[in-house]
Amino acid sequence: MSTLLIKNGTIITATDIYEGDVFVVDEKIQTIGKSLDLKGDKTIDAKGCYLFPGGIDAHTHMELPFMGTFSSDDFETGTIAGLHGGTTTIIDFAIQTQGDTLTAAVNKWHEKAKGKAAGDYAFHVAVTDFNPKTKAEVKDIIEKHGITSFKTFMAYKGALMVDDRQMFELFKELKKYGGLLTTHAENGDMIDDLISENVAKGNLAPKYHPLSRPEICEAEASGRVIDLAYQSGGSLYIVHMTCEGALNRVREATKRNQKVNVETCVQYLLLDESLYSNEGFEGSKWVMSPPLRKEKDREALWNGINQNLVHTVATDHCPFCMDQKKMGEKNFSKIPNGAPGIEHRMELMYSEGVEKGRITLNKYVDVTSTAAAKIFGLFPKKGTIAVGSDADIVIFDPKQTHTISSKTHHMNCDYSAYEGWKVKGKCKTTILRGTIAVDDGKVFVKKGFGKYLPRKPEKVPGTFSGN
């Protein structure tokens, strides 16, 4: 038996703020109280620091085969970078190869993660080829593999995209077993045409990436998948929402008493499309899909968080090094889509959100940890500081300032999407299941320390359940 006592911290959950001590036995929180008269094998004085639940990044892509290459972080480097930044759990996407089974995809992702991941992990399954055989796998994927969330792409025509009939049938099948559908909502046909049009005109620079994926593409697709969910009675989670137009489709759905779970990503709250106009090939660093938007969209998303229309903030962490990005140096449509972000999500959301008065401390915990745990069946094991929960705790110094740079980050990527950003607030110590994983920039866990998290189907709170 190992014990850990954290004293004098300010404990922050999605609902509470109070000073107290936390006593950990093995992997679980055993006692919380004031001035605990208990002795731990190790004692940490957290005076002046916040204690946050370990962060949950519900949208990552480690070692993803995509656009002729692989994302540059694997489960070892990616989860270690996450631990440096207070993220103790990720949910990655096991992506079906067209013509192959869902089970094969799950097995492949287990091979990638097992023995490598330093942080805890779960999977979503991306369905790219829905047919009778795939449909027959859904029950076992949920009940035997413990994967309750599935994904469809409405974009990437000819590679990952599925059609409306496939999505509608998948919604109905998932409803039978308590599954949830997550969706990349962009109109793939419209995008395909706009890309072809720009390439034909010789518009090949990175700045034409956002022009080929305008707001209307995302707004239309969001509205369409919301309607499919409504008619099927299925549960829906829209990933990486970027714009006011899409958010307004969610707002409209509430008028018919429909709940849509919505994720945005930290880059869509902080960055904008002006970065694509940087000189030379610099704009390729931010080529991701959907693309960065306008200032009005950033404002809408921040307000959407406070209006409880946006529930989680993830990263869509999918890094590619600059030599990989250069695959599209002569044609923006060949640039691998994605950017690094897992390491800085928690600190940026505190610095730009809490410190600047955009969100409260409780809302911060909710969008970075608690809401994802509840939506994806990990709560209360994960996502809170409570007796019986896993001892995933971030000791966070709200006063420490630092500057983000690719020279000092731990992601396996040779650039940062936030190079030179001055940040207030630092993840001082990250504790995973009672073990100090990172302390003052030093890593104390090895690859393979992370555990797979099977999940049970459960009704997502507040989701529409039929019409």
Side-chain angles (χ1 to χ4, degrees):
M1 183 177 78
S2 62
T3 58
L4 172 66
L5 179 62
I6 307 170
K7 294 185 67 68
N8 306 316
T10 300
I11 298 166
I12 316 290
T13 70
T15 54
D16 300 307
I17 301 176
Y18 58 96
E19 292 185 4
D21 304 340
V22 179
F23 187 65
V24 176
V25 176
D26 294 330
E27 296 190 345
K28 303 286 186 182
I29 296 171
Q30 187 184 79
T31 309
I32 300 173
K34 290 273 279 187
S35 304
L36 292 180
D37 188 19
L38 296 168
K39 288 187 177 180
D41 296 333
K42 183 174 180 61
T43 299
I44 299 174
D45 187 354
K47 188 174 183 179
C49 292
Y50 294 133
L51 304 185
F52 294 137
I56 300 173
D57 190 342
H59 193 149
T60 67
H61 295 288
M62 305 301 177
E63 203 180 324
L64 173 70
F66 191 51
M67 297 182 74
T69 186
F70 285 81
S71 57
S72 56
D73 264 323
D74 62 13
F75 276 85
E76 178 185 359
T77 60
T79 56
I80 287 175
L83 290 168
H84 275 281
T87 289
T88 52
T89 297
I90 65 168
I91 312 181
D92 207 82
F93 291 85
I95 298 182
Q96 176 194 22
T97 300
Q98 288 189 340
D100 210 340
T101 64
L102 300 180
T103 303
V106 172
N107 291 339
K108 182 67 175 176
W109 255 256
H110 274 299
E111 289 174 13
K112 293 174 187 277
K114 189 175 181 180
K116 280 190 174 182
D120 287 356
Y121 60 97
F123 296 136
H124 313 281
V125 177
V127 181
T128 63
D129 187 4
F130 190 71
N131 53 54
K133 187 177 179 181
T134 306
K135 182 178 178 179
E137 290 186 273
V138 167
K139 184 176 187 290
D140 280 355
I141 294 293
I142 293 174
E143 296 179 357
K144 293 184 179 180
H145 293 272
I147 298 172
T148 58
S149 45
F150 292 64
K151 183 180 184 181
T152 54
F153 292 87
M154 300 173 77
Y156 301 118
K157 188 174 177 66
L160 302 172
M161 180 175 158
V162 297
D163 62 32
D164 292 354
R165 173 71 179 268
Q166 291 173 306
M167 280 199 296
F168 190 63
E169 290 188 16
L170 181 55
F171 266 125
K172 291 192 291 184
E173 193 67 16
L174 290 175
K175 185 184 175 184
K176 294 179 186 177
Y177 306 107
L180 170 71
L181 186 63
T182 77
T183 299
H184 175 133
E186 288 184 291
N187 186 311
D189 288 307
M190 200 185 307
I191 290 166
D192 200 47
D193 181 74
L194 290 170
I195 289 173
S196 296
E197 183 180 303
N198 274 296
V199 170
K201 291 179 179 178
N203 299 333
L204 303 173
K207 67 180 179 181
Y208 293 102
H209 172 71
L211 295 175
S212 298
R213 308 180 93 97
E215 179 181 7
I216 190 64
C217 292
E218 186 180 345
E220 185 281 328
S222 297
R224 181 158 36 104
V225 75
I226 288 169
D227 286 345
L228 292 171
Y230 181 80
Q231 183 60 31
S232 68
S235 297
L236 171 64
Y237 177 100
I238 299 179
V239 301
H240 53 43
M241 186 170 285
T242 73
C243 61
E244 184 179 29
L247 190 61
N248 283 340
R249 302 297 176 106
V250 176
R251 187 174 281 113
E252 284 297 312
T254 67
K255 295 178 181 178
R256 62 186 179 194
N257 299 319
Q258 184 181 6
K259 167 69 179 292
V260 179
N261 299 285
V262 175
E263 163 197 291
T264 191
C265 297
V266 64
Q267 60 267 31
Y268 300 123
L269 292 166
L270 303 183
L271 306 176
D272 65 56
E273 64 184 10
S274 64
L275 290 167
Y276 294 117
S277 297
N278 285 356
E279 288 186 13
F281 196 58
E282 184 81 1
S284 67
K285 293 177 178 179
W286 299 277
V287 167
M288 61 189 74
S289 294
L292 302 175
R293 302 293 188 190
K294 303 178 188 301
E295 173 62 29
K296 64 138 181 120
D297 299 299
R298 291 166 51 193
E299 183 179 347
L301 291 171
W302 281 112
N303 287 326
I305 288 172
N306 287 316
Q307 294 162 349
N308 293 320
L309 293 173
V310 176
H311 308 98
T312 67
V313 177
T315 61
D316 193 8
H317 177 79
C318 189
F320 296 97
C321 293
M322 287 308 293
D323 61 341
Q324 294 173 290
K325 288 280 187 178
K326 285 181 180 177
M327 292 169 65
E329 196 166 18
K330 296 181 179 179
N331 182 343
F332 73 89
S333 70
K334 306 295 184 184
I335 300 170
N337 283 209
I342 191 172
E343 185 170 349
H344 303 305
R345 178 182 68 112
M346 299 283 283
E347 292 169 348
L348 282 169
M349 283 302 294
Y350 179 83
S351 185
E352 296 294 320
V354 178
E355 273 292 314
K356 294 192 175 178
R358 290 176 168 129
I359 55 174
T360 66
L361 276 168
N362 299 122
K363 179 61 76 173
Y364 167 84
V365 169
D366 197 32
V367 298
T368 59
S369 183
T370 308
K374 289 180 175 179
I375 290 168
F376 294 111
L378 294 169
F379 188 86
K381 179 181 175 69
K382 305 289 188 183
T384 192
I385 297 176
V387 172
S389 296
D390 280 5
D392 297 350
I393 299 168
V394 178
I395 302 175
F396 190 90
D397 184 347
K399 295 181 180 178
Q400 185 174 341
T401 58
H402 56 110
T403 301
I404 293 175
S405 174
S406 61
K407 295 177 181 177
T408 54
H409 75 202
H410 301 86
M411 297 173 287
N412 186 31
C413 190
D414 56 1
Y415 77 91
S416 171
Y418 307 96
E419 187 70 38
W421 276 62
K422 298 186 185 308
V423 178
K424 186 174 183 181
K426 179 72 174 172
C427 295
K428 185 177 179 182
T429 306
T430 301
I431 298 162
L432 173 58
R433 287 181 277 107
T435 295
I436 295 173
V438 174
D439 183 55
D440 285 332
K442 295 181 181 179
V443 181
F444 293 94
V445 293
K446 296 180 179 180
K447 67 177 183 177
F449 183 75
K451 287 185 176 181
Y452 172 64
L453 302 170
R455 298 170 284 136
K456 293 182 179 179
E458 62 177 67
K459 192 172 182 61
V460 178
T463 353
F464 181 72
S465 58
N467 69 34

